[in-house]
Amino acid sequence: MNSLSRIRRPFTIAVQRLNLRSFSSSLPYFKEEDKLNPTETGSNCSLVHPSAVVHPEAILGQGVSVGPFCTVGASAKLGNACQLYPGSHISGNTELGDNCILMMGAVVGDDIPGRTIIGSNNIVGHHAVVGIKCQDMKYKPGNECFLEIGDNNEIREYTSVHRSSHPNETTIIGDNNLIMGSCHIAHDCKIGHNNIFANNTLLAGHVTVEDYTHTAGATVIHQFCHIGSFSFIGGGSVVSQDVPKYTMVCGERAGLRGLNLEGLRRRGFSIVEIKSLRAAYRKIFMPSEGNLLGIEDRLTELEKDEELGRIPVVCLMVKSIRDSFAEDRRGICKFSLTFNKGELEW
């Protein structure tokens, strides 16, 4: 028994040292003697690890780094200076712009009809899955489906982003969005620019999110909802109706809780604009006791107001609310007077 232990110990130490050498280095993950020439890979790739599998028909730009155990499919196109960390995969008809980074275990694209297009300077986090088949029962195998992502987005670990469910639809994500860990963006969603989705924000199919919105953690948004620009959704909220521009909602069945005052200040809205929005919000959602008009009439009355009716941000908020009452929309989140008096204070 002792002799067996003496034999196993040196072998175990050798394996441990090998593992440390294999995983302690950063990109490009190879020694000088392991580098392959561009002609050997059938592309313009600068650095491809020997254990990676790059299809000869794949198009790789200049300065691309492909780490250990990565795969790049035949229809893939990578822009200049892209980096694929170990165990990341690109498949199907997929295009990456310049300077994109796929962290360990990231999966981009799918071997189904359609296409995934990702712009420049995007980061796809550890084990995130982007551009795969949707989870909509209406999807028919063989149909084309699409995903388009803009520039400068950070998609963090374990996030999933699905392609569209129908050939004439596209899942769209704009520019400069931060999508934190374990978020989900379902089929046919339309995401604008400069949004922040905190961890575990879940968007069902066909959700539209405008620009500069912010969701707190564990937010759930019902299918076909519309989230207006500069709005805020509190943590743990379940949003089942539209969120108007500039407002704040929260709750297990999210209700309006006033204006997103802190967000408006941070985004550079002037004192005049914020005071005008507060006055307009009160007229719409906090009418005087003698005012028995319905919300449509209150909106019309506000539009005719000689002062507020001429303020651009007020007009945009009114339009946002009106649009939510269209036949194909879900209406706006319910209003609760209890939470609004304090939150509308300057």
Side-chain angles (χ1 to χ4, degrees):
M1 188 68 181
N2 291 336
S3 60
L4 180 61
S5 300
R6 286 195 297 271
I7 294 172
R8 291 178 60 185
R9 181 176 175 79
F11 177 76
T12 303
I13 293 173
V15 170
Q16 289 174 345
R17 288 176 179 173
L18 177 62
N19 288 336
L20 285 172
R21 285 198 299 269
S22 299
F23 295 101
S24 62
S25 59
S26 58
L27 277 174
Y29 296 104
F30 9 48
K31 300 176 183 177
E32 195 67 31
E33 60 268 22
D34 290 333
K35 295 180 182 179
L36 300 182
N37 295 324
T39 54
E40 291 178 286
T41 64
S43 67
N44 292 322
C45 181
S46 297
L47 300 169
V48 177
H49 192 274
S51 66
V53 179
V54 178
H55 195 281
E57 296 181 11
I59 300 174
L60 276 63
Q62 298 290 338
V64 171
S65 297
V66 182
F69 309 110
C70 295
T71 59
V72 180
S75 302
K77 182 179 179 181
L78 279 64
N80 297 328
C82 287
Q83 298 180 35
L84 275 61
Y85 279 71
S88 55
H89 305 279
I90 300 176
S91 60
N93 188 358
T94 301
E95 179 178 338
L96 268 62
D98 296 341
N99 301 300
C100 287
I101 298 175
L102 271 60
M103 303 304 294
M104 292 183 183
V107 176
V108 176
D110 202 348
D111 285 316
I112 55 176
R115 193 176 188 187
T116 297
I117 300 177
I118 298 179
S120 300
N121 303 307
N122 292 290
I123 299 175
V124 181
H126 299 78
H127 301 281
V129 181
V130 176
I132 64 168
K133 185 179 77 172
C134 68
Q135 299 174 149
D136 188 356
M137 296 297 291
K138 297 189 297 295
Y139 172 78
K140 296 180 180 179
N143 277 357
E144 291 189 320
C145 48
F146 303 94
L147 168 66
E148 295 182 6
I149 297 178
D151 303 329
N152 306 310
N153 297 286
E154 186 169 2
I155 302 171
R156 292 300 298 267
E157 59 275 4
Y158 297 102
T159 289
S160 56
V161 182
H162 290 176
R163 289 201 216 173
S164 61
S165 62
H166 198 270
N168 57 7
E169 290 282 352
T170 303
T171 304
I172 297 175
I173 298 176
D175 304 330
N176 304 305
N177 297 289
L178 172 58
I179 303 171
M180 298 186 195
S182 302
C183 289
H184 174 64
I185 298 176
H187 58 90
D188 308 299
C189 285
K190 304 291 187 291
I191 311 299
H193 311 300
N194 302 291
N195 297 290
I196 299 174
F197 298 157
N199 300 69
N200 296 293
T201 292
L202 309 177
L203 274 61
H206 302 278
V207 169
T208 297
V209 181
E210 295 182 359
D211 305 326
Y212 292 101
T213 69
H214 190 167
T215 71
T219 294
V220 179
I221 302 178
H222 192 281
Q223 61 195 35
F224 292 101
C225 282
H226 194 112
I227 311 301
S229 297
F230 301 98
S231 59
F232 179 85
I233 302 176
S237 297
V238 178
V239 179
S240 57
Q241 293 179 287
D242 291 358
V243 178
K245 288 180 187 286
Y246 314 122
T247 61
M248 177 170 56
V249 302
C250 68
E252 187 273 330
R253 279 293 182 266
L256 285 164
R257 300 293 188 260
L259 294 173
N260 179 22
L261 293 178
E262 187 59 34
L264 297 177
R265 294 188 190 107
R266 290 181 180 182
R267 293 300 176 186
F269 282 69
S270 68
I271 293 176
V272 172
E273 288 176 318
I274 294 176
K275 286 185 175 180
S276 299
L277 285 171
R278 289 173 60 211
Y281 187 96
R282 284 195 176 99
K283 285 181 176 291
I284 299 169
F285 298 111
M286 304 171 66
S288 60
E289 292 183 5
N291 189 339
L292 302 178
L293 297 175
I295 189 167
E296 286 281 357
D297 294 327
R298 295 200 294 272
L299 292 172
T300 301
E301 188 179 74
L302 182 60
E303 289 171 326
K304 295 178 179 179
D305 189 286
E306 292 185 1
E307 184 178 348
L308 295 176
R310 298 179 180 179
I311 305 296
V313 291
V314 172
C315 295
L316 288 172
M317 183 172 71
V318 170
K319 184 179 186 304
S320 174
I321 296 169
R322 278 198 184 281
D323 290 346
S324 292
F325 291 112
E327 288 186 7
D328 59 341
R329 297 278 288 273
R330 297 185 57 80
I332 62 172
C333 289
K334 304 303 181 186
F335 167 73
S336 176
L337 180 62
T338 307
F339 293 89
N340 280 269
K341 289 183 177 179
E343 289 161 0
L344 284 172
E345 293 302 323
W346 177 251

